[in-house]
Amino acid sequence: MATGLSEHKVKVLLIDDQPLIGEAVKRMLANEQDIEFQYGKDPSLAMETAVTFQPTVILQDLVLPDVDGLDLVKLYRGHEATRDVPVIVLSTREEPQTKADAFALGANDYIVKLPDRLELLARIRHHSKGYINQLQRDEAYRALVASQEALAHDVDEAARYVQSLLPAPIDRGSIQADWRFIPSAQLGGDTFGYHQLDDEHFAVYLIDVVGHGVGAALLSVSVLNAIRSQSLPGTDFKDPGQVLTALNERFEMSRQADKYFTAWYGVYHRPSGVIRYTGGGHPPALLISDTSGTTTMLEATGPMVGAFDGLEFETKEHALEGPATLFVYSDGVFEVQRTDQTMWPFSEFVSYLGEQSRAPGSAMDALIEYLAVLSGKKGFEDDFSIVQIRIVPGDAS
């Protein structure tokens, strides 16, 4: 079938101790090519026969030697293999109480035997059709569950792969780095990294692809790999503007299923203590000075990367005045709805991070805990990505 579901033939099981009735029903169904018929004379074997034959309808006589036909109806309903199989009671009795008892025990229909051939066929086909539809719905559901489980496994593998690409923390030297990443979905569009370009230059970057899911994750990984492997021809990775210009050309949205991304890319030059940076559609990095306690916004003024062809991104510079902490983050870090349904102002986020950067402990962990209280939620509506770089200029350790 086009749906991929199993084809189920109409299968009729008759349980009746009178061979004459068995032969009569057999003849009624003989010319029906889509109907398979089986007759069971011994009522003690009725359940065993039903489990083996797997009928789509059972014709059950009520008056049987040693066994009450109503007890068999009850037995069918209590067995997993037959509990949903339609049961048509065949009986010579027409008493309303007998009919009521049969329906109360789970019979689907009641026929005074023997009915006209056309009537019997109509009832068999009607009840079988409903049961076959149920079987196919159950098959489709099981197939869907299996498919979802397989997809969930694949997505879980992909999520682990994406997280495996994130850098290890750096806890020694003049440049120390750490991060926190809490995806809003199993696969998100955020990724980030930092690494030495050479002995004098240290790069840090954060990518935020629009949307979530496999498509966003694939694009973010592709961008990350292009930066890490420095595989953008003719690009000086020590020049942030050149990097984003090349990324904009490489990942133009019409070739990426209309997906684009925001980015912030910075390079710290150890000898001069200067940070060169650029960005596209991304929140400003925050540089918090130990000396003055002030927070400087390293703003990225370019548009979203990949959204417009032929752009050139500007490189800006900022000289450190002494030890400082740099925070690079995605918008999911501060675009938080408070319990009163208002949005947390960006200015309050900047002030909070500035205060926490000078307090004991991790400013990033403090921020996560504070946002849980602020929003009244444990999770985040968008991916939460933040990178903290601690810089001590002139420290050669």
Side-chain angles (χ1 to χ4, degrees):
M1 295 176 66
T3 60
L5 300 176
S6 302
E7 289 201 49
H8 295 271
K9 196 172 185 178
V10 176
K11 301 175 72 174
V12 180
L13 172 62
L14 170 64
I15 302 297
D16 195 302
D17 65 314
Q18 300 179 56
L20 184 64
I21 299 297
E23 183 62 27
V25 174
K26 180 180 179 180
R27 291 185 180 183
M28 287 182 181
L29 306 180
N31 294 327
E32 305 303 316
Q33 299 299 315
D34 64 325
I35 296 179
E36 184 176 345
F37 174 73
Q38 183 161 330
Y39 168 58
K41 179 182 177 182
D42 186 350
S44 67
L45 299 176
M47 179 55 70
E48 180 182 339
T49 304
V51 170
T52 303
F53 182 58
Q54 298 182 351
T56 60
V57 66
I58 298 173
L59 304 179
Q60 178 61 56
D61 184 27
L62 283 190
V63 181
L64 298 164
D66 303 323
V67 178
D68 189 332
L70 290 178
D71 288 339
L72 282 178
V73 173
K74 185 177 180 180
L75 189 64
Y76 297 141
R77 290 297 169 255
H79 196 287
E80 183 178 2
T82 56
R83 64 186 176 193
D84 296 320
V85 177
V87 176
I88 301 176
V89 169
L90 295 177
S91 177
T92 57
R93 301 176 183 175
E94 297 192 61
E95 297 88 348
Q97 186 59 53
T98 303
K99 295 179 181 180
D101 291 344
F103 285 119
L105 290 171
N108 299 83
D109 208 343
Y110 193 104
I111 300 177
V112 177
K113 65 178 182 183
L114 272 173
D116 178 81
R117 174 179 176 275
L118 290 178
E119 179 185 352
L120 181 63
L121 278 172
R123 291 176 186 261
I124 286 173
R125 292 192 190 282
H126 171 73
H127 290 294
S128 290
K129 180 180 179 181
Y131 180 61
I132 289 171
N133 286 341
Q134 178 181 331
L135 291 177
Q136 291 180 331
R137 285 195 301 271
D138 290 347
E139 288 176 5
Y141 175 74
R142 287 192 294 271
L144 177 61
V145 169
S147 174
Q148 289 177 332
E149 288 176 349
L151 178 60
H153 174 75
D154 290 345
V155 169
D156 187 55
E157 288 287 320
R160 284 199 292 270
Y161 170 70
V162 170
Q163 297 214 23
S164 74
L165 298 176
L166 301 180
I170 303 172
D171 57 9
R172 294 182 182 180
S174 61
I175 300 177
Q176 297 181 14
D178 201 0
W179 52 266
R180 298 292 183 270
F181 175 52
I182 305 174
S184 62
Q186 203 163 7
L187 272 179
D190 282 13
T191 192
F192 49 84
Y194 43 77
H195 63 270
Q196 293 286 157
L197 295 173
D198 55 33
D199 290 342
E200 295 185 348
H201 295 86
F202 182 87
V204 55
Y205 39 87
L206 196 149
I207 308 299
D208 183 359
V209 177
V210 61
H212 301 96
V214 175
L218 286 174
L219 179 54
S220 69
V221 168
S222 296
V223 175
L224 179 66
N225 286 334
I227 295 173
R228 288 174 54 174
S229 64
Q230 300 185 36
S231 59
L232 299 170
T235 300
D236 180 0
F237 280 80
K238 297 186 291 293
D239 184 334
Q242 285 192 34
V243 174
L244 256 61
T245 298
L247 289 174
N248 185 71
E249 182 179 350
R250 167 78 69 85
F251 296 100
E252 197 273 322
M253 63 183 293
S254 66
R255 300 192 296 273
Q256 309 298 328
D258 290 332
K259 289 191 176 298
Y260 53 85
F261 56 94
T262 69
W264 193 94
Y265 183 96
V267 175
Y268 173 63
H269 184 228
R270 291 174 186 265
S272 65
V274 170
I275 296 177
R276 306 181 75 206
Y277 63 94
T278 192
H282 204 81
L286 302 180
L287 185 67
I288 303 167
S289 170
D290 285 10
T291 305
S292 63
T294 59
T295 298
T296 301
M297 296 187 189
L298 306 185
E299 295 194 65
T301 56
M304 285 79 70
V305 184
F308 303 98
D309 197 15
L311 294 177
E312 291 190 6
F313 288 78
E314 178 187 6
T315 296
K316 297 184 177 182
E317 294 186 356
H318 180 86
L320 271 64
E321 59 185 32
T325 301
L326 177 71
F327 290 99
V328 185
Y329 49 89
S330 64
D331 55 11
V333 168
F334 63 87
E335 289 184 349
V336 176
Q337 188 177 61
R338 298 180 290 194
T339 53
D340 64 0
Q341 307 305 306
T342 62
M343 297 301 294
W344 191 32
F346 180 71
S347 59
E348 291 187 17
F349 160 71
V350 174
S351 297
Y352 180 86
L353 205 56
E355 293 171 3
Q356 290 302 318
S357 68
R358 294 185 291 274
S362 168
M364 295 183 293
D365 290 340
L367 175 62
I368 292 170
E369 292 177 6
Y370 182 69
L371 292 181
V373 175
L374 197 67
S375 66
K377 301 176 182 177
K378 291 184 178 180
F380 293 90
E381 297 295 331
D382 197 2
D383 296 338
F384 179 102
S385 302
I386 186 168
V387 178
Q388 175 180 308
I389 308 293
R390 174 70 181 163
I391 304 173
V392 181
D395 186 349
S397 60

